[in-house]
Each structure stands twice: as C-alpha cells, then as structure tokens.
Amino acid sequence: MCGIVGYIGERQARPILLNCLARLEYRGYDSCGIAVAGGGLQVHKDAVRVQALREQLPRRIEGKLGIGHTRWATHGAPSRANAHPHGDCTGRIAVVHNGVIHNFQQLRQQLVKEGHKFSSETDTEVIPHLIEKYFDGDLGEAVAKALNDIEGSYAVAVLMDGVPELIAARKESPLIIGVGDGENFIASDVPAVLDYTSRVIYLEDDDIAVITGEGVQVKRNGEAVARKPHQVTWSVEDAQKGGYEHFMLKEIHEQPRVIRDTIRAYLTADETMSDWGVFQKGDSGDVLMLACGTSYHAALVGKYILEGLFKIPVRAELASEFGYLGQSSARSQAIVITQSGETADALKAIKRLRSEGCPVIVITNVVGSSATRVADRVVYTMAGPEISVAATKSYTAQLMALYWMALPSAKIDLRRRDGLVMELRQLPGKVQRILDDEEKIAQHAAQIAKYNSVFFIGRGLNYPVALEGALKLKEISYIHAEGYAAGELKHGPFALLSGEAPVVALVTPDATYDAMLTNIKEVKARGSPVIALVEEGDDVVAEVADSVISVPKVDPLFSPVVNTVVLQLLAYYAARERGCPIDFPRNLAKSVTVE
Ligand code: AGP
C-alpha cells in the first residue's frame, strides 16, 4: 500500500528519498514521486517504478528538505496527475498522504467555490489547499487546522518552500520518524530508514510532529507530548535479499531460524502465555479469531488446534466480514492475527470488539504497529521484517505463537503434551530438510506452471493449509487456484476436474487419512492429475496419486507447518518458471491499510 518518506538535514534530499522509496517498494504501488525544497519547490512524479523515476529526473534537483511517495491507487487511476506529492495554488506546498478522506467531495466543492484550482482526481489534493487556506506564518498550525476538517484516515508528510521544517501527522495509518544525527526522516515503515538510522519514533493517532534537522516536537490537540525513540533490532541485512534471487525465497529459507527464535523467546518470557488463562475457561469460554488473507488461514489452523486441545468452541472469521456479523460481546476472548498490524479490516474489528467489551489479544510481527496500540495484550511473532508481498515466514511464526499459546495448558494427557513440546523443538530441523530438498519441489512446480487452474485439497488441520497453498500460488504465479476441503469437491468443483486441472492433495496420517485416499481416487476417476504430499515412508498414496512429495514425519498437529513450507516452494518455483515478478505481484500490496 502507499508509502511515505521524508528527509530534513544537511545532505541532499534527492538520493536519500529515492533510496527510502526503493526500500518501500515491497508495500506495492503503481506510481511514485518526490518533492524537494531548496530555492523553489521541485516536484517530479509519474505512474512508473522508482527506478524509472530516478532515471527520468533532471540532473539538477537540489535541496536538503524533501518528501516522497509510492501510491497505490484508490481515488483516480494511476497517472502522473494523480501521483503524489500534491500541491496548492501557490506552488509552495507539497503533501504526500496515505489513507482515505471520506468527506473530500464536500471539502473540494467548498475549496473550488473559494477559488482553489485542482489538478487531480485524488482525495489527497484537498490537504495542500486546506493548508494554503489556513497558513498564517506557522506551517504546523495550518496542518493541524487542515486535518481538523478531514474525516477519514491519514498519514501525511508536508513541506513548504522557505519553511525549514517537515510536518508529519497520523490517524489510523502508520507513520514513523527516523531519528538521525543532525538529520531526521519520515517513513511509513521501518525498513525505509534502516540505511540511515535504527532509532525510531512511532507516531500515535492524532500526533502532529514538527521536524527539523536538530529535533522533533510532537503535539496532540495543541499540547506537547513526549514520544521516545525506540532502538530497532532489525538490521539492514534483515531487510535485504542476502544473496537470494527474491525476498520470498530468502524468507522461506529463514523459517527454521524463525521457529527456533520463536521457541527461545517464548521459553524465556517473564510471563508465559498460559499464565494469561485464555484457554482455561472450561465450557463457558469461547474464542473468536479474526484475520485477513494468509493470517486468516493461520487463524483457521488455530481454530483446529485450540478446539482439539481445549474442547472449547473457537470461531475463525474474516476480519473484513466481521462488521456485518451480529453482537460479539458474549465472547470471552478474541484473537486478532495481523502480520503488519496495520490491516484496516483487522484494526476496525479490534475497535469493535473493544467497544463491545471483549478483550483482544493481537498476534503481530511489527513492534509499535497500530494493532498493538489498541489491543489488550500483544503476542509478537519473531519473523523479522517480511518484505515479499507473499506472506511466508510470518505465517509460520503465527502458527508457532498459536502452538505456544495452546500447548503449555492444553487439556490433554501430560505425556502427550510433553511429547508435543519436544516435537515442536525438532521442527526447525525438519523444515530445514524440506529446504535442503527444494530442487525436487521445483521439478513438481515446473509441471504445475504449465496449467491454468490448480486445486488444493485437505481435511481437518490441512484444510486451511490447502487454502493457503492456493492463495500462495494464485498471488505470485497468476495461475487460477482454489483451495477446498477435500469433502467439498463433489459438491460442485467436480465439474471443473479434467486432465487440464491438477489437484494437490495433502495427506496426513491422522483421522483424515482414509477419507483423503478416497478423495484422491474420486479425483483420479475424473481425469485430474494428482500430486500428493505424504509423510515420508508412506507407500500407499503413491499407488493412487500420479506423483508424491514426501514431507518429514511430524505429529499431525504440526503438519500445517511442514506442508505449508512445501506449498510455499511449489508456488515460488511455479511463479519463477512463469517469469512472474515474485516479490511484487501485480495489483497487490504488502500492507492493506484501506477497507
Ligand atoms: C498473503 O500472502 C498476503 N500478503 C495477504 O493475504 C496478507 O496475509 C493479508 O493482507 C493480511 O495481512 P496482515 O497479516 O498484515 O494483516
């Protein structure tokens, strides 16, 4: 989704802005631009990638104060006119904005009546005109007044030629300040500034910051507030490819480390999650899990884990649909899963739950993200920065958090529980074995890449894994893919089965095994080639499927981890075979900050 950057200091702003924008590319965008102030305001923008903008910029753009933006179109198509920064009538003000302004039509009509001229279809353009209207010598004040007129969400960075400061403000859209020595930065996300500083201020809703090279002053409702810089532990290398061809492949390969780090961190935590007593409420307790996309698939796996281990009712719902469902206040606990902590639908769901008196645990990967500020409790996953749009290691880290929330107090035989905890510790090695053998998975992927439609089927814990396998494949390879509960194929999708539609079947040696074998035979009888994921040593499935991929033996409870890693690699290599832009798939954004 849109990305904001800003710089003020002693260095030339142009190369810094372009570098910071390039670091935000992973969020997804369709156009970009920069504005640099220094003896006049210079604005350059277009519906192009950052590299193309860099190449088309005039040689002389000088100034030590600037802002930049990557835009993901909401109001108005991707075009030069709609790209940010946007300006006012005087040509002195530049604004970049993330979010949505609900009342922009009324504001625009009013401003037009007052003589302002607009040049884009965006909602953003009302902001510089409002600032122009209110400016009376104090830029911070004018921005505060302008934002006061706005209904909706925003993260904004503002500059005005001749005023040696940057203004940053946020409401329901992420914005951070990178604190340097004699220079400061603004960005939507930490990776953008890691080349320059690891000290970061997380702005909060309704904060307005006046930033100079020497300092940062934050105000809220006109009153000064203290916002301390945090030391970020991610390194630049964490946010770079480290020799891999794509971020996605690097992130898939980081999963053994992620699992290890997660277990270590949860083991050494002062307070264990089981101390929270979330799943010890017996029959009266019920749990609602909410999330979007891949995080929703983790929530669905969580539902199976928690219902299995605690025998309590657990519902998993799409956060984007939650607003249309009935009262939630009867629930005793909600868990919202969001890698970024910025997904608009997830944030809206948390606010509703809180307003209805339901305590919310947020599982997220991003320290200081919006979701962490509105949650009752936060469980951090230890995935490190995930750059590729396709979620991989963050999903595995979410599963680890769910296992760890459940296992210590699981209502199961003690010996079984200890055995499961032991197995959990062996998972990194088992995932590593899958990665060591990725060449074989790449060969299967090359076959899949030839088709235009693929089905993924599973049962029980592996039904959500089938959904995730299909999501991964469709989002990065653009092959149409459907995930199904294996028992549902005969209720409609059978009509689509043929030699042109292969089926990937997830077979686990648990209560679902026999039914999965039957489903594979049904699929074969209708002409679809079947690739089955089976536990190593299984030689029964190979007799009915066309080909098998062996996965290391794990307790079925952990089969979602190993099976998903295989499906991630399958999707990755299929997309690579088709020459797709794996890390930045078309039309998608890493962090979806609009409803
Ligand atoms: C999956 O690969 C996607 N990146 C997407 O489905 C993602 O999981 C979804 O947008 C939710 O994001 P979140 O976890 O940051 O809330």
Side-chain angles (χ1 to χ4, degrees):
M1 205 116 296
C2 307
I4 285 177
V5 300
Y7 175 79
I8 185 163
E10 282 307 310
R11 296 192 264 178
Q12 288 299 323
R14 164 196 169 135
I16 294 174
L17 294 173
L18 290 170
N19 185 38
C20 293
L21 282 181
R23 295 261 181 253
L24 286 183
E25 283 192 299
Y26 73 94
R27 293 165 67 92
Y29 69 106
D30 45 52
S31 44
C32 58
I34 61 168
V36 175
L41 184 65
Q42 303 149 81
V43 180
H44 297 276
K45 55 186 190 171
D46 207 345
V48 294
R49 309 297 294 174
V50 174
Q51 181 55 26
L53 181 77
R54 190 193 300 270
E55 284 160 15
Q56 72 189 41
L57 286 177
R59 284 245 299 283
R60 286 186 69 80
I61 297 182
E62 295 200 345
K64 297 172 181 175
L65 167 63
I67 54 177
H69 193 258
T70 47
R71 173 174 188 253
W72 193 78
T74 55
H75 295 73
S79 67
R80 179 174 291 174
N82 290 334
H84 299 211
H86 289 285
D88 66 324
C89 299
T90 68
R92 286 183 65 202
I93 297 171
V95 172
V96 290
H97 163 236
N98 294 351
V100 177
I101 301 172
H102 299 308
N103 60 339
F104 88 98
Q105 293 285 17
Q106 297 99 293
L107 291 170
R108 186 170 167 137
Q109 278 164 12
Q110 181 58 35
L111 286 161
V112 168
K113 269 193 216 148
E114 292 168 12
H116 292 261
K117 293 214 167 17
F118 284 76
S119 52
S120 78
E121 302 158 83
T122 65
D123 52 347
T124 300
E125 204 183 350
V126 297
I127 304 176
H129 288 280
L130 286 170
I131 296 171
E132 177 191 354
K133 171 175 160 178
Y134 290 123
F135 183 71
D136 190 16
D138 184 328
L139 185 58
E141 284 291 312
V143 172
K145 284 183 183 155
L147 295 179
N148 209 25
D149 286 355
I150 282 170
E151 288 164 20
S153 58
Y154 54 78
V156 289
V158 182
L159 62 76
M160 185 170 189
D161 189 42
V163 178
E165 53 193 31
L166 267 180
I167 311 294
R170 72 155 273 172
K171 186 178 185 189
E172 295 170 18
S173 196
L175 200 60
I176 59 120
I177 298 171
V179 181
D181 290 328
E183 58 183 2
N184 288 306
F185 306 81
I186 303 176
S188 305
D189 207 350
V190 174
V193 299
L194 281 179
D195 283 321
Y196 307 102
T197 181
S198 55
R199 281 189 302 147
V200 161
I201 294 174
Y202 296 97
L203 288 180
E204 299 195 5
D205 278 353
D206 300 316
D207 280 356
I208 298 184
V210 178
I211 306 161
T212 61
E214 287 71 43
V216 178
Q217 265 197 335
V218 183
K219 283 189 179 170
R220 209 173 190 189
N221 302 325
E223 300 291 320
V225 284
R227 295 275 178 259
K228 277 211 304 244
H230 295 254
Q231 190 66 38
V232 174
T233 50
W234 299 348
S235 65
V236 182
E237 292 71 40
D238 284 338
Q240 287 175 349
K241 281 191 213 156
Y244 286 91
E245 193 177 342
H246 296 98
F247 281 112
M248 182 178 177
L249 190 60
K250 176 189 173 229
E251 288 158 4
I252 290 172
H253 275 259
E254 284 173 335
Q255 291 178 110
R257 199 261 307 145
V258 167
I259 299 173
R260 223 172 271 125
D261 286 358
T262 308
I263 296 174
R264 196 174 301 133
Y266 294 162
L267 267 179
T268 54
D270 294 341
E271 187 188 30
T272 68
M273 291 178 224
S274 56
D275 294 341
W276 301 355
V278 179
F279 307 119
Q280 296 168 350
K281 298 197 163 73
D283 291 337
S284 61
D286 61 348
V287 177
L288 173 63
M289 304 181 77
L290 295 168
C292 302
T294 292
S295 296
Y296 170 65
H297 299 153
L300 275 176
V301 175
K303 170 188 164 69
Y304 283 89
I305 297 172
L306 300 176
E307 289 203 340
L309 295 179
F310 292 93
K311 312 286 177 232
I312 53 170
V314 180
R315 256 175 65 199
E317 303 283 354
L318 291 163
S320 56
E321 281 295 303
F322 181 55
Y324 312 116
L325 299 175
Q327 280 290 96
S328 60
S329 49
R331 327 235 142 254
S332 47
Q333 183 68 64
I335 300 175
V336 176
I337 307 180
T338 166
Q339 180 280 132
S340 61
E342 302 294 350
T343 300
D345 290 318
L347 294 175
K348 196 169 169 195
I350 298 171
K351 284 179 189 158
R352 176 180 165 191
L353 287 162
R354 296 285 314 272
S355 74
E356 291 173 356
C358 177
V360 179
I361 296 175
V362 160
I363 299 178
T364 187
N365 195 39
V366 181
V367 176
S369 57
S370 301
T372 64
R373 301 211 201 94
V374 285
D376 293 280
R377 288 187 184 270
V378 180
V379 176
Y380 284 110
T381 49
M382 311 287 158
E386 188 176 69
I387 307 295
S388 180
V389 164
T392 52
K393 60 175 181 170
S394 64
Y395 166 88
T396 299
Q398 290 164 353
L399 293 191
M400 296 310 294
L402 290 165
Y403 288 128
W404 208 255
M405 285 168 90
L407 277 176
S409 50
K411 301 236 172 336
I412 50 174
D413 174 72
L414 270 188
R415 271 223 307 254
R416 166 142 173 80
R417 197 187 71 189
D418 292 347
L420 286 171
V421 172
M422 280 242 297
E423 269 239 14
L424 201 57
R425 289 162 175 267
Q426 290 166 9
L427 265 181
K430 297 193 174 171
V431 170
Q432 190 57 52
R433 280 178 46 209
I434 297 172
L435 299 172
D436 292 344
D437 224 11
E438 68 185 315
E439 190 45 45
K440 278 200 194 123
I441 299 171
Q443 285 163 16
H444 287 280
Q447 293 308 312
I448 283 186
K450 294 179 186 149
Y451 294 95
N452 291 320
S453 187
V454 179
F455 283 87
F456 290 76
I457 57 170
R459 284 174 176 261
L461 272 166
N462 282 289
Y463 157 52
V465 177
L467 296 178
E468 176 57 9
L471 176 62
K472 261 332 54 105
L473 186 68
K474 75 180 91 169
E475 75 176 321
I476 60 165
S477 73
Y478 311 153
I479 297 171
H480 171 248
E482 301 256 12
Y484 263 93
E488 282 296 299
L489 276 192
K490 55 185 169 292
H491 298 294
F494 265 10
L496 293 174
L497 295 187
S498 74
E500 294 307 305
V503 174
V504 178
L506 309 173
V507 190
T508 307
D510 59 8
T512 65
Y513 186 85
D514 291 338
M516 280 303 297
L517 268 186
T518 306
N519 293 141
I520 292 175
K521 287 177 194 158
E522 290 167 352
V523 166
K524 286 290 303 166
R526 282 150 187 90
S528 284
V530 174
I531 302 173
L533 270 62
V534 298
E535 186 181 274
E536 57 193 357
D538 182 314
D539 45 18
V540 177
V541 180
E543 285 175 20
V544 284
D546 293 273
S547 56
V548 295
I549 301 176
S550 294
V551 293
K553 196 175 169 58
V554 293
D555 187 281
L557 189 70
F558 303 125
S559 58
V561 176
V562 287
N563 284 344
T564 303
V565 174
V566 173
L567 299 186
Q568 292 166 351
L569 288 167
L570 213 50
Y572 172 81
Y573 282 107
R576 189 168 173 269
E577 183 76 16
R578 289 166 74 105
C580 296
I582 292 179
D583 286 329
F584 311 115
R586 69 184 175 211
N587 303 335
L588 294 181
K590 181 68 181 164
S591 171
V592 185
T593 52
V594 292
E595 274 175 46

